[in-house]
Amino acid sequence: VLEQALAVDPAHAESRAKQGQVLRRLNKHADALAAYDRALGLQPQYSWAWNGRGLALESMRRREEAVASYERALEFDRSVIWYHNNLIDLLLEMGRKADALAASEIAITTLPNNAMAWARRGLAQRRTGNYVASTESYSRALELDPNYSWAWNGFGLAHLSQHHYEDAADAFERATQLSPKDVWFWRNLGDALMMIEDYKAAVHAFE
């Protein structure tokens, strides 16, 4: 279908970018990058294509270039939470914790009522060792979305880092209730239960 669309209009930026997405999902990252570049040659302010380009570059381990692409996506559209998340996550992976924290501040300023933005801020704060502030950010995320299991897990990790083991266990238990197939949530619950010496419940969590 995309080939037909491009045959009709080779200069259709959206179709070129969609071609890039399909190629990326087929793990043809170099071809995907070329498609995104063609889309951006046609429409330089196309934020969705810049984000896709970043994902392709990240898969190719060209991380600095991926960061630049995510930043370009945000330059043209800060309303999409995934653009923020992709940038923050990659910066953390690269060990650029201060930059990730700064990016998370932009996210919550731009999207103050977005639970994912607050949860990413909590992640960045936790990775920089500011556990009290991290707990507060996760708490705000959960006010906005009480069923956000990833935020419950992060909330638990922030409490765990402060040796608040019972609070951590409660948070991890909530995460497992919401996402029972996530093995890491169960593992974190088991660790917290061991810290409060509830070994019977810990055994069940690790099962």
Side-chain angles (χ1 to χ4, degrees):
V1 175
L2 281 172
E3 290 179 354
Q4 292 175 335
L6 289 168
V8 172
D9 184 1
H12 192 255
E14 288 81 0
S15 295
R16 286 292 176 196
K18 183 60 71 171
Q19 181 186 41
Q21 181 187 44
V22 172
L23 288 166
R24 181 171 57 79
R25 291 186 177 178
L26 290 171
N27 294 319
K28 297 181 178 181
H29 303 300
D31 292 335
L33 180 60
Y36 285 124
D37 282 341
R38 290 192 68 178
L40 290 164
L42 296 164
Q43 190 174 325
Q45 297 185 358
Y46 191 3
S47 58
W48 189 81
W50 279 112
N51 182 69
R53 185 177 190 272
L55 291 169
L57 286 164
E58 191 172 345
S59 296
M60 298 167 73
R61 308 301 294 172
R62 292 164 59 176
R63 299 189 297 181
E64 291 290 351
E65 293 173 83
V67 167
S69 287
Y70 294 142
E71 289 175 339
R72 289 286 278 170
L74 288 165
E75 179 182 340
F76 298 121
D77 186 357
R78 290 189 174 183
S79 69
V80 181
I81 185 58
W82 293 107
Y83 303 169
H84 295 278
N85 287 356
N86 290 339
L87 176 60
I88 294 165
D89 290 349
L90 181 54
L91 289 170
L92 287 172
E93 183 182 325
M94 296 168 69
R96 294 171 56 179
K97 297 177 183 179
D99 290 336
L101 182 58
S104 75
E105 296 291 346
I106 292 172
I108 64 163
T109 300
T110 307
L111 302 168
N113 296 314
N114 188 292
M116 294 181 74
W118 283 98
R120 277 307 190 285
R121 184 183 190 231
L123 172 64
Q125 289 169 323
R126 183 167 59 81
R127 293 284 184 86
T128 54
N130 194 345
Y131 303 123
V132 173
S134 175
T135 304
E136 293 171 353
S137 291
Y138 282 122
S139 180
R140 176 58 180 150
L142 292 166
E143 288 177 13
L144 293 165
D145 184 358
N147 296 318
Y148 189 4
S149 60
W150 191 86
W152 278 110
N153 183 68
F155 190 50
L157 289 170
H159 276 300
L160 198 64
S161 297
Q162 299 173 78
H163 311 293
H164 301 163
Y165 300 123
E166 291 189 3
D167 290 333
D170 289 342
F172 292 139
E173 185 172 5
R174 184 67 176 138
T176 61
Q177 290 170 350
L178 292 165
S179 295
K181 293 184 179 180
D182 193 309
V183 65
W184 290 105
F185 296 174
W186 287 104
R187 177 179 172 177
N188 291 339
L189 175 58
D191 287 343
L193 290 168
M194 288 182 66
M195 296 305 298
I196 60 175
E197 300 183 0
D198 191 344
Y199 300 119
K200 184 177 180 180
V203 169
H204 173 69
F206 286 125
E207 287 178 344

